[in-house]
Amino acid sequence: MSRQGTENNMKINIAIDGPAGAGKSTIARLVAKELSYIYVDTGAMYRAVTWYMLKHGIKPESSAEVLRHAQALEIELLPGADGQKVLVDGQDVTGFIRSLEVNGTVSQYAQIEGLRKHLVALQQQMAARKGVVMDGRDIGTTVLPDAELKIFMTASVKERALRRFKELSDAQGLTLEQLEKDISERDRLDAEREISPLRCADDAIVLDTTHMDIPQVVDTIVSYCKAQTNS
């Protein structure tokens, strides 16, 4: 679908949800590029907050302190040659927010109700003008419940662990088996948290990508968008 094709139709908002390691960020970024939409990586926002809190020794149990600091943070998501850049108070933290330490802790911060409300409000502001592709775990259910197209991307735990394993440089000392356990635990935490748990929206299209490559997933979602905007 070309830029001209999207401009001939009213732009919509696209919500892409799914469990850890499903490849949501990669797919959402490519879909946004294909449609000339704006990509908002909500997971990167939580990771950026987590990185900041870890750096300053602020534990997730100190929810009031976490929220106080988070509300003062300036988080920017900028397009870059190699994907999205993430800035915290002007510092490029893109290379830091995918560390094992952040991976293992982000769910604990994401369970803080005040922090989720704060970031959700920011995300909703970003989507107000339409033409946004947003990925996360509660986009279709909480952040953008009125999104015109909702996709719930999933894949087997084994496949998701393998994809994440390939992303990590030298696996950072982590085995594939340990990564499978970590992803299973992340699934449990995300599904059981009280605030905005991981859940497939009733009107979402479930897309199992276990046996699909990246271009196939992108083409499938773009075709759904084209059908929606032409209807």
Side-chain angles (χ1 to χ4, degrees):
M1 191 174 184
S2 66
R3 176 189 293 268
Q4 183 178 0
T6 61
E7 289 176 348
N8 289 338
N9 300 289
M10 183 175 65
K11 288 188 175 183
I12 64 173
N13 284 334
I14 302 174
I16 300 179
D17 288 305
K24 302 182 299 295
S25 297
T26 297
I27 297 301
R29 175 170 52 81
L30 292 172
V31 168
K33 182 179 180 180
E34 182 72 15
L35 297 170
S36 297
Y37 277 25
I38 295 169
Y39 167 51
V40 178
D41 181 357
T42 64
M45 297 173 74
Y46 286 98
R47 287 172 174 275
V49 170
T50 299
W51 169 82
Y52 178 91
M53 300 304 162
L54 291 172
K55 181 182 178 184
H56 291 86
I58 303 169
K59 298 184 180 299
E61 295 80 11
S62 305
S63 56
E65 190 175 3
V66 168
L67 183 57
R68 180 170 62 84
H69 282 267
Q71 289 175 331
L73 288 180
E74 182 181 2
I75 300 174
E76 297 176 88
L77 306 178
L78 304 175
D82 300 319
Q84 191 174 62
K85 278 188 174 184
V86 182
L87 274 60
V88 173
D89 291 338
Q91 179 183 352
D92 186 349
V93 299
T94 312
F96 304 131
I97 64 172
R98 303 284 173 184
S99 69
L100 287 177
E101 188 178 17
V102 171
N103 280 345
T105 317
V106 62
S107 282
Q108 297 176 41
Y109 289 96
Q111 294 181 67
I112 299 173
E113 182 176 5
L115 177 60
R116 294 199 70 84
K117 287 183 176 179
H118 172 62
L119 293 183
V120 164
L122 294 180
Q123 293 154 11
Q124 289 172 335
Q125 289 175 18
M126 294 175 183
R129 293 185 178 182
K130 302 289 186 179
V132 158
V133 181
M134 194 176 291
D135 75 288
R137 286 169 177 73
D138 62 348
I139 309 305
T141 55
T142 301
V143 183
L144 300 179
D146 297 325
E148 291 84 353
L149 177 60
K150 300 177 184 179
I151 303 291
F152 191 86
M153 270 181 59
T154 188
S156 67
V157 171
K158 188 177 186 66
E159 176 63 22
R160 287 187 280 136
L162 183 60
R163 292 172 184 175
R164 184 61 59 83
F165 186 76
K166 290 177 179 178
E167 288 177 356
L168 300 173
S169 58
D170 299 325
Q172 298 183 21
L174 197 64
T175 66
L176 182 58
E177 290 74 17
Q178 182 59 48
L179 204 48
E180 283 189 43
K181 291 180 182 178
D182 290 349
I183 285 179
S184 292
E185 176 64 9
R186 179 72 183 274
D187 286 352
R188 186 188 68 78
L189 287 172
D190 286 341
E192 294 179 359
R193 71 184 180 215
E194 292 185 12
I195 307 301
S196 297
L198 171 66
R199 182 173 62 83
C200 179
D202 294 336
D203 54 346
I205 298 170
V206 178
L207 189 60
D208 189 330
T209 68
T210 302
H211 303 294
M212 299 173 73
D213 61 23
I214 290 173
Q216 287 175 324
V217 178
V218 172
D219 288 346
T220 299
I221 295 176
V222 168
S223 69
Y224 285 137
C225 180
K226 186 174 182 179
Q228 179 74 30
T229 55
N230 287 338
S231 61

